[in-house]
């Protein structure tokens, strides 16, 4: 069973920071999910970070962003160090560019919108100075320390945004707005909307236009993306300890047998077998 962690109501407008010290044993966190964002800053690398069943290397001078609902597991090497920031999206209500960037991480698959940001060695000292100064403020008695920490966290996220812009600078922007709208709609409505025509109608375009746009950008159909979103959430839910039948109802399937058949068609194994493998 994968535990689900949350931040108390009293702490939702504050940032929590945890230091990742050197370890004595080669252990790892258990796979888990949470209802808040985590921003891992790895100053010294080593190990693997598994996010939504995909492995990302833990490199020196890197940042990993984990979103609410994602299942993840940190497997750090002994000498790896860094910090992790825990926070809610509400902190960036007045910084829409940051809010949108973070929200995109919740909407897109980790293989399409990578949660991992690696910076050049020349940036190492600046990155270390930022997080260590932030850690110092966090542990101070300063009455405005939370706002100072939020400002520093914003800076780290802005560096991630700059990093992504460099990586995607030459990528095609054709239909990007409509495609992003589709992916965002899919991330919030996949339990209710399961047909391409329902999404195309909501976006005021034809089914053919939506399929062609998604196919051009990704090489896959809109239907394939809808199915992948459903299967990803099904895998997450199965790992929380609930039954395949309960997962089916959570995903708005009225017939659990139909859901099980769909899951097996998409993954090659039944929901129950998947659950047993990951228990």
């Amino acid at each position: 069973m994968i535990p689900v962690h949350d931040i108390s109501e009293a702490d939702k407008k504050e940032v929590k920071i945890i230091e990742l010290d050197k370890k004595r044993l080669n252990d790892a966190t258990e796979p888990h999910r949470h209802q808040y964002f985590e921003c891992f800053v790895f100053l010294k690398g080593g190990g693997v970070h598994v996010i939504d069943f995909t492995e990302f290397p833990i490199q020196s001078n890197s940042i990993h962003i984990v979103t609410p609902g994602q299942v993840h597991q940190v497997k750090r090497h002994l000498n790896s160090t860094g910090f992790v920031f825990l926070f809610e999206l509400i902190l960036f209500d007045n910084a829409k560019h940051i809010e949108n960037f973070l929200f995109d991480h919740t909407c897109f698959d980790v293989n399409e919108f990578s949660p991992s940001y690696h910076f050049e060695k020349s940036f190492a000292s600046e990155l270390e100075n930022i997080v260590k100064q932030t850690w110092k403020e966090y542990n101070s008695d300063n009455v405005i320390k939370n706002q100072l920490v939020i400002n520093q966290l914003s800076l780290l996220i802005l560096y991630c945004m700059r990093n992504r812009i460099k990586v995607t600078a030459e990528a095609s922007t054709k239909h990007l707005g409509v495609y992003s709208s589709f992916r965002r709609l899919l991330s919030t409505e996949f339990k209710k909307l399961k047909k391409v025509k329902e999404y195309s109608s909501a976006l005021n375009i034809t089914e053919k236009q939506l399929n062609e746009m998604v196919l051009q950008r990704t090489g896959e159909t809109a239907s394939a993306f809808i199915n992948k979103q459903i299967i990803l959430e099904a895998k997450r839910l199965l790992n929380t300890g609930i039954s395949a039948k309960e997962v089916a109802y959570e995903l708005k399937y009225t017939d659990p047998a139909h859901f099980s058949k769909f899951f097996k068609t998409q993954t090659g194994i039944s929901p129950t077998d998947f659950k047993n493998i990951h228990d």
Side-chain angles (χ1 to χ4, degrees), residues 2-6 30-36 38 52 66-73 232-240 242:
I2 288 184
V4 180
H5 305 301
D6 200 0
E30 293 298 321
H32 62 281
R33 66 196 305 201
H34 36 71
Q35 301 305 321
Y36 48 85
E38 287 188 339
D52 269 349
V66 182
T67 71
Q70 289 182 327
V71 175
H72 79 116
Q73 181 182 24
L232 175 58
E233 184 61 19
K235 288 180 176 179
R236 290 170 172 174
L237 289 169
L238 287 167
N239 277 288
T240 64
I242 65 176

Side-chain angles (χ1 to χ4, degrees), residues 194-209:
K194 292 184 169 61
K195 297 180 180 179
V196 176
K197 65 179 180 181
E198 294 173 318
Y199 287 93
S200 63
S201 177
L203 295 169
N204 294 315
I205 58 177
T206 67
E207 288 182 64
K208 182 179 179 181
Q209 287 174 321

Side-chain angles (χ1 to χ4, degrees), residues 233-264:
E233 184 61 19
K235 288 180 176 179
R236 290 170 172 174
L237 289 169
L238 287 167
N239 277 288
T240 64
I242 65 176
S243 68
K245 184 176 181 179
E246 290 172 309
V247 172
Y249 289 139
E250 176 67 22
L251 295 177
K252 310 302 181 187
Y253 283 89
T254 56
D255 182 2
H258 175 65
F259 164 72
S260 292
K261 183 179 180 180
F262 166 74
F263 188 95
K264 187 170 185 178

Side-chain angles (χ1 to χ4, degrees), residues 24-80:
R24 294 182 179 180
L25 299 173
N26 273 317
D27 58 354
T29 63
E30 293 298 321
H32 62 281
R33 66 196 305 201
H34 36 71
Q35 301 305 321
Y36 48 85
F37 281 85
E38 287 188 339
C39 178
F40 287 82
V41 182
F42 297 108
L43 299 179
K44 186 172 182 180
V48 173
H49 192 178
V50 184
I51 305 175
D52 269 349
F53 316 103
T54 300
E55 291 190 350
F56 295 91
I58 295 175
Q59 299 174 290
S60 298
N61 315 316
S62 67
I63 293 176
H64 292 182
I65 296 175
V66 182
T67 71
Q70 289 182 327
V71 175
H72 79 116
Q73 181 182 24
V74 182
K75 303 177 181 179
R76 290 194 297 128
H77 287 172
L78 292 177
N79 292 327
S80 67

